[in-house]
Amino acid sequence: MLRRIVARFLTSIPILLALAGGAAMVHARTVRYPQTVAWVGKGAEIRSQFPPAPPDGAFSFLVCGDPEDGVAHFVELLRSLPDRSPAFLVIPGDLVKYPTRDRFGFFLAEMERLGWRLPAACALGNSDGGKEEPHLFDDRIGPRVFHFEYAGCLFAFFDNAEQFIGEDQIRPIDELLARERDRFRHVFFVMHKPIVEVKAESAADEAARARGNAPMVDLVRRRHVDYVLCAHLHGYLRIAREGTTHIVTGGGGGALQQAEDGVGYHLLEMSVRADGEVRERMWTTGIDHLAIGTSWTNWHVKILPWVREHGAASAGLEAVLVAAALAPRLLRRRKAAAA
Ligand SMILES: [Fe+2]
């Protein structure tokens, strides 16, 4: 009996695959992704989407890096928050993995489906750029270098996705802080890659990165930057250095690289109190692997764009699946007819 059930199941697999393939093709032809979302990206313009700054200066914001191809889990993390009081979300890069129009579109669609008009200020990650269509981040999300002020705090976003931060990015903020540093209650820098060494592959690599990051490290020290918020490493690190707290938070959905820290997927809530104190709180779903349902949704983002972008290949693959599903039945019928 059990053998018969197992055999039935095994012979049904090609049919199920053919049906899933057909559904994916239909979905790929009909789904429409947004080009942009009003409350995601737009550089300093995102400031217009924030709630009014509270008179006492107390507010909180979220930080969540590297959603990548785990964007469904990223949304799950945001949905799991007990309230919607954070004023905005900071994403320190890697919104997508392998950037294509559809992957950015899917990310934006998920942000729309979040059910919460959560303004998101985004830095460029190395996975957001790509060589084939490097303008996608600029078109869909916004400029790579910008800054804004909220409740007396400065938030400055930099681009170090592919190169070290150079004078062109350093000088404007240096000049601003030279004039107005005393006016800002806190200064937060946001960029994708950490500027302090977190995972050296070799001594030579570490020395090269230290040399490349030296001008930015110098700016952070000279202008008393409070926090450097970054991602890139899919895990969590908190490093205090020369009066600045460097936070690496890349637990938004991309495959975890630091299982040993036990943190798992997570996001941070940074609360700036009225008295100026900054408190950090981590929110996590307590898992370091994705639930099957979430994994499937994430596979959706991997499979569907491919189906949309490779129409002929996906039609051919579907034809093979249908043939594999029908062939055994046709053969059985033939045999039965011959007998
Ligand atoms: Fe990443």
Side-chain angles (χ1 to χ4, degrees):
M1 178 69 179
L2 184 65
R3 278 176 66 180
R4 194 184 274 182
I5 293 172
V6 171
R8 268 264 160 90
F9 176 73
L10 289 176
T11 52
S12 303
I13 287 176
I15 300 172
L16 294 173
L17 286 175
L19 288 173
M25 285 195 66
V26 171
H27 194 158
R29 290 281 158 262
T30 53
V31 69
R32 292 284 173 266
Y33 294 130
Q35 301 278 310
T36 58
V37 169
W39 58 93
V40 179
K42 317 279 183 297
E45 281 180 41
I46 191 66
R47 176 72 182 75
S48 66
Q49 301 288 330
F50 296 172
D56 66 356
F59 72 100
S60 72
F61 65 97
L62 304 169
V63 192
C64 192
D66 298 84
E68 297 192 1
D69 47 1
V71 65
H73 196 67
F74 170 75
V75 166
E76 195 176 292
L77 272 165
L78 292 168
R79 281 204 181 119
S80 71
L81 293 173
D83 65 57
R84 296 179 174 189
S85 59
F88 55 90
L89 164 69
V90 166
I91 307 178
D94 279 3
L95 283 58
V96 300
K97 195 172 179 69
Y98 311 125
T100 65
R101 286 159 198 273
D102 283 341
R103 287 195 171 93
F104 272 109
F106 183 78
F107 172 81
L108 293 170
E110 288 295 293
M111 287 298 285
E112 269 190 336
R113 277 198 287 269
L114 175 62
W116 175 12
R117 210 179 150 107
L118 174 64
C122 311
L124 176 86
N126 58 304
S127 294
D128 297 315
K131 289 193 170 57
E132 285 177 18
E133 293 188 277
H135 59 279
L136 282 176
F137 182 92
D138 311 83
D139 294 349
R140 308 295 163 100
I141 306 300
R144 305 165 179 218
V145 182
F146 60 96
H147 64 270
F148 59 78
E149 186 180 339
Y150 186 75
C153 298
L154 178 73
F155 293 82
F157 287 66
F158 299 87
D159 170 12
N160 68 351
E162 297 295 342
Q163 292 175 340
F164 297 112
I165 297 167
E167 266 306 298
D168 56 328
Q169 294 186 57
I170 289 176
R171 196 181 310 114
I173 293 296
D174 194 13
E175 289 172 1
L176 172 70
L177 290 174
R179 290 192 310 270
E180 302 183 43
R181 176 63 186 92
D182 291 346
R183 190 170 67 76
F184 296 120
R185 299 162 71 210
H186 295 288
V187 175
F188 297 90
F189 278 8
V190 183
M191 61 201 71
H192 184 56
K193 292 179 179 169
I195 54 170
V196 291
E197 197 49 66
V198 296
K199 204 173 188 180
E201 276 144 32
S202 67
D205 183 55
E206 185 174 342
R209 282 201 226 171
R211 265 197 311 279
N213 284 319
M216 194 57 176
V217 169
D218 180 55
L219 174 69
V220 165
R221 183 186 51 75
R222 280 190 294 109
R223 300 302 178 202
H224 308 291
V225 173
D226 298 280
Y227 279 90
V228 176
L229 306 172
C230 46
H232 192 50
L233 178 79
H234 296 185
Y236 172 76
L237 289 170
R238 187 182 190 281
I239 300 165
R241 181 113 2 130
E242 296 182 306
T244 300
T245 303
H246 297 254
I247 290 185
V248 182
T249 174
L256 293 173
Q257 296 167 317
Q258 248 197 321
E260 71 274 12
D261 66 12
V263 172
Y265 293 105
H266 67 276
L267 59 78
L268 298 180
E269 181 174 3
M270 311 280 293
S271 300
V272 181
R273 290 160 44 114
D275 63 8
E277 186 190 345
V278 181
R279 289 191 177 169
E280 303 153 31
R281 179 171 189 177
M282 180 180 287
W283 294 96
T284 171
T285 48
I287 59 169
D288 56 11
H289 60 281
L290 299 179
I292 289 174
T294 310
S295 288
W296 172 247
T297 318
N298 287 330
W299 272 106
H300 166 103
V301 71
K302 294 170 188 170
I303 293 172
L304 215 61
W306 188 89
V307 172
R308 280 163 69 91
E309 290 154 17
H310 300 84
S314 54
L317 191 60
E318 176 63 8
V320 171
L321 290 174
V322 170
L326 294 179
R329 277 162 179 75
L330 291 174
L331 281 175
R332 267 206 304 277
R333 264 193 204 172
R334 259 197 172 180
K335 266 188 190 170

